[in-house]
Amino acid sequence: MDSLRYEILGPLRVAHLSSQQLRASKPRQLLATLLLHPNRFVSTDLIADALWETSPPRSATANIRTYVRALRGALQDAGLPAPIDTSAAGYSIEVGVDELDSSMFESLLAEGGHLRDAGDTRQAMQVLSRAYALWRGHPLADLGISSAWEGSIARLEAQHRGLVDSLLDLRLQYGDPAGAAVLLSDRLTEDPYDEQLWRRLVDTLVAAGRTSEARAAYSKAVRTLADELGVEPGPELEAAGARAQNGHTANWPDPGIPAVRTPEPESPEPPGPMSAPALTEPQRPPSQLPLDLPDFSGRADYLDQLRDLVCGRDPVRPPIAVISGAPGTGKSSLAVRLGHQVREYFPDGQIYLDMRGATDPRDPAGALTDLLLSLNLPDFAVPADPDRRSAMLRSELASRRVLIILDDVASASQVAPLMPGTGASAVVVTSRNRLMDLAGADPMPLDTFDDGEATELLLRVAGPGRIDRGSPAAEEILLACGNLPLAIRIVASRLAQRPDLSPSELARRLRDETHRLDELTIGELAVRTSADLSYDSLSPEEARLYRLIGHFAVGEFSARVLEPVASPAVVRRSLDRLIEVNLVQISSIDPTGKARYRVHDLLRLHAIGVGNETEKADALKDLATLLDALLAKVRRAAAALPFGYFGSLDYQGPLLAPDPQPFTDTDAIAWFDSERSSFVPAIRAAAQNGLHEHAWRLAAAWGPYLDMRAGFDDWNESHQPGLLSAVACGDRRGAAILHRNLGQLALYQDDWDSAWQHLTTSAELFAEVGDRFGDGIAAVGVGTWLRERGRPDEALVHYENAVRAFVEVGDSNGEAVARSAAASIWLARNDTVTAGRYLAEAFLLGVRRGDRHREAKVRRRIATLRSHQGRPEQAVRQLQASLAIFTKIGDDHCAAYARADLGRALVAVGDDAAARKMLLDAIEIGHRLGDRSVEGEAAYHLGRLHATTGNGDFARRYLNRAVRAWQQIGNEARVADARDQLAGLGTDLAVS
C-alpha cells in the first residue's frame, strides 16, 4: 500500500499531495473521473457530465483544458509524474495496478477468488484481507457523487459486499472471531435490520471473549428492531443474547470458532481502606456526553483513526488521544461525535469534563474528584490527598471500560493525574496546545476542512435550498472563511436565520477584510472571541511577533525573515509557542531542513486587529524594518548571481549596511531557492500596508533570479502588485522597470498582446524620465516582439537604437545583448558576414566582463551562424559549450532552448540517438516550465527525426504534440508547418 499514488476507495487521496496543493473542486472531480476509468480515454462529454451534471457551461471544453493543466501542475509541484494524456478521444490517466487502490483491490479480489477455488483457503483469506484493508469508506466520499460515476461506484461497492461475505466465512472457518466481528460490524452499518447478522455478531463477540461487547451488541439489536421495525427478537437472536449474558458459547451455531473466553471481573472493589462499600442497588453507568451536533459533517478520516485508537485492545497501554488545533477547527465537536459513535464499546460509562483551559483552567485535584464521583463513588470515599485520588482513579479504571473526554485542556500537567494506568478505558483530550509532553498520548493535530467538507457543512447548516453547491457565492464565502469550521458554521447559521440575506450579499460583506471578523459572529459564536482566548495566553514578546506576522504573513515565511526585529533565540522561542497554541502552523520543510510557517487567513486578520494603538503602530514599524532588511538581502543575493542580468535593477531607496558575510554565487542561488516562497507574500504584505516603495522595489530586485529559474508564476504574482504599488507611490521609473519585466515574461509565454502593451508602455515611461539605460532594455524588448511577429526590418531599427543607448551609458552587458539580437536579423537575411561581425563583438564583450551566462547565450547564436555557413560540427561544439554553462549555472530555461538547438544540430551530423535524448529533455523541461515555444520546437524536430527513420507512429505522436503546443500560444504559422509534416506521413492525423 505504501507504493500507491492514487486512492479513491474512500476520500480522494494522492500520495505526497496535500489538500492545499489540490484545493479546487473541479480539478479534484476531473481526477476522480479519470481514476474511475484508468488507462482509458474518457470523453469530454462524460467529463462535463461529471463536473456539471446535466448543465455544463458553454465554455466546458475550455474549462476542462484549464483543469487538466491545473491538475498536471499540482502533481508536478508535488514531485509526482503527471501521466495525463490528451487525444481527440478525450483524456486518459496512465496508472499501474500498484499505483491505484481500486485497481489493486480488483486484482486482489481476482487472486483471492482463484486461491479459494483452488482449495488454498488460508492463503485466500490473507489475500482477501489485503483487499479489505484498502477500503476506507464509500468511494470518493469527500466529493459530491455525480450521476456519471454511479455505475463505476456501484460496481466497486458490489464487489466490496461480496468480499465481506467471502472473508467472513473464511475467518469463521479459521478461528478468527475477532476479525469476523469487525466484518460483521461493517455489514451491519449497511444492513442494520438483518437479524441473522446481529445473531452472528453476538455469538462471534462471545467466542472472542468480549462478553460485555456482546451484551451491548444484543441490546442494540433489540433496540434497533423494536424502534425501527416494531418487532421483537426472534428465537435465534434471543438465544444468542442469553449466551452473551451467561458468557459462554454453548450451542455455538458457527462451526470452527473456538470457545475462547476471557474472565471479566464482576463489580470490582477498589483496594485500600477508602474503598467504597458494597451498594445495595446496581449503579447506572455515567453517560455525560454533550449533545451531538445534528449537522456535524466531515472529519471522516479523523473519526476512523480515533475509533481505531480508542477501541483498540492494547493490553499494556490504555489509549490516549490528543486532538489539537487552531481556534475554530472543531476539536470539541469531533470528540463529542466520536464519543457517541463508540458508546457501545464503553459499557461502563462515558464521562465528559470541561477543563476550561482557555479561560480559567480547572485544578487537577478538583477534576479528579469529579471523575471519581462520576464513577459512582460516594463523596466520603474520595481521598483528601490529590495523589491518592489519582491512585484511586487508576484502580477504578483498571477494571472498567470507560471513555473519558477532557475538553479544552490547558497543559499536560493539568491532565496527567487523570490518566489511567492500565486497562481498557480510553481518554480523548482536546486542546489548543499540542501537549507534546503528555506521556503515552497519540497526537492528532486538526487542520481546517478540505473543500468538500467545507461545502458540506455550509449546505447542511444553511438548510435546503438556501445556497447552491458550487455557486460563485458559495465558493467566495468558503474562501473568505478559509475552510475554518467555526467560521463556516457562523455564516451558514446566519443564512439559515436571515431569509432576507442573500448568499451574494453575504459574500460581498465578507470581501472586506477590515470588517470580515465582525461578520463572523452570531450569538455566542465568534471567530475573534475564540482567537482572543489563545492570544491572551501569550507573553509580550510572543504577542509582538504574532502582531507582526499578522501584517507580514500573507503566505509562507521562514523564521530567518523575522530576525531583523528580534534575536534568533527570541524568534525561535516565540514561534515554538505560537505553534504550540496553534496560532501558527508549520507548512513545509525547505531543502535545507528548515521549517516554513503559515498562519490561517482569519487568524492573520485577528493578529492585525489585536493590541492597543501603540502596539498596532509598532507592528507597522516592525514590518518596515523587516522589509528593509529583506530588500537589502535580496539585492546582495541578486548581485552575487553568476551572470549579468539584462534588466533594470533600482538600487536607490533603503539599504542596510554591507553584509559582513557577502554571498557567493552558490550561496545566493541556494538562499533564493530556500526563501522563494516568502517574496510574493512579502510584496503583497508591503502593498496591503501602504509600504508601496518596498513592494515595487522587492518585485524588481529578485528579477534576475526569476529569469534564471524561469519562475513564471512567481514573476507574474510579484510584478503585478509591484506595478500597482509603483503607480500608487508615483514612481514612474519603477513602473517602467516593472512594465519591462512583465513584457519580457509575456514574450517568454508567447502572450503577444500583453507583451506589446507592457513593452511599449515601458519605452514611453523610460523616455519620459530620461533613462537611457531603460531606453535600451525597452528597445530590445520591442525589437524582439517585432522580430517574432514577422517584422524584422522594424526590429533591426530598435536593436540598433538599443546598441547606441548602451554604448552611450557604457553598459557592456546590454550592448552584448543588443548586438546579439541584431545578429539574428542579419542571419534571417542570410547575411552571415554582418551577422558574424555583430556576434564576434557580442562574444568579446561577454568574455571581457567574465559573464559566462552571456557567453553561453551568444554561443547559441554563433551555432546558428555556423549552421548557415554549412559547418554543422562547429555548431554542435558551440551548443555543447553553451549547454554546459547553462547547466552549471542552473538556468533550466535557457538550457531547454540550448538542448532543442543541440538536438537539431546533432541530427544534421547524423547522431540520431544523442539527438533524440536532447530533444526529449527539451520537451520535458519546456512542458514543466510552461514554455510552449521550446516544447513545440523540440517536439517538431523529434517528430521529423522519427519520420526520417521510418517510425511513423512516433512521428505522428510528436508532431501532434508540436501542434498542440503551438496552438496554445497561437503560433498558426508553426501549426501549419507541423500539419504539413503530418500530411506528408500519408494520413490525416492532425489535431483539430
Side-chain angles (χ1 to χ4, degrees), residues 933-991:
S933 287
V934 69
E935 179 186 355
E937 197 67 28
Y940 173 81
H941 288 296
L942 186 56
R944 291 194 63 187
L945 173 60
H946 282 300
T948 60
T949 57
N951 194 330
D953 289 341
F954 279 97
R956 282 185 285 271
R957 175 186 299 180
Y958 287 106
L959 287 169
N960 272 309
R961 182 162 186 170
V963 169
R964 290 195 297 269
W966 283 327
Q967 279 180 330
Q968 290 175 6
I969 60 177
N971 194 333
E972 294 303 325
R974 300 299 280 139
V975 168
D977 190 5
R979 282 179 167 157
D980 287 344
Q981 294 294 324
L982 279 166
L985 295 174
T987 180
D988 185 14
L989 293 177
V991 178

Side-chain angles (χ1 to χ4, degrees), residues 14 57 157-158 160 210 247 275 282 286 370 477 491 498 512 533-534 541 625 630 713 756 790 815 887 904:
V14 181
E157 290 181 333
H160 180 251
R210 293 152 60 175
S275 297
D370 289 345
I477 288 170
V491 296
R498 289 278 308 276
D512 182 0
L533 296 174
S534 295
E541 64 183 17
T625 299
L630 182 61
D713 289 341
W756 180 255
E815 183 185 350
T887 302
R904 186 179 182 183

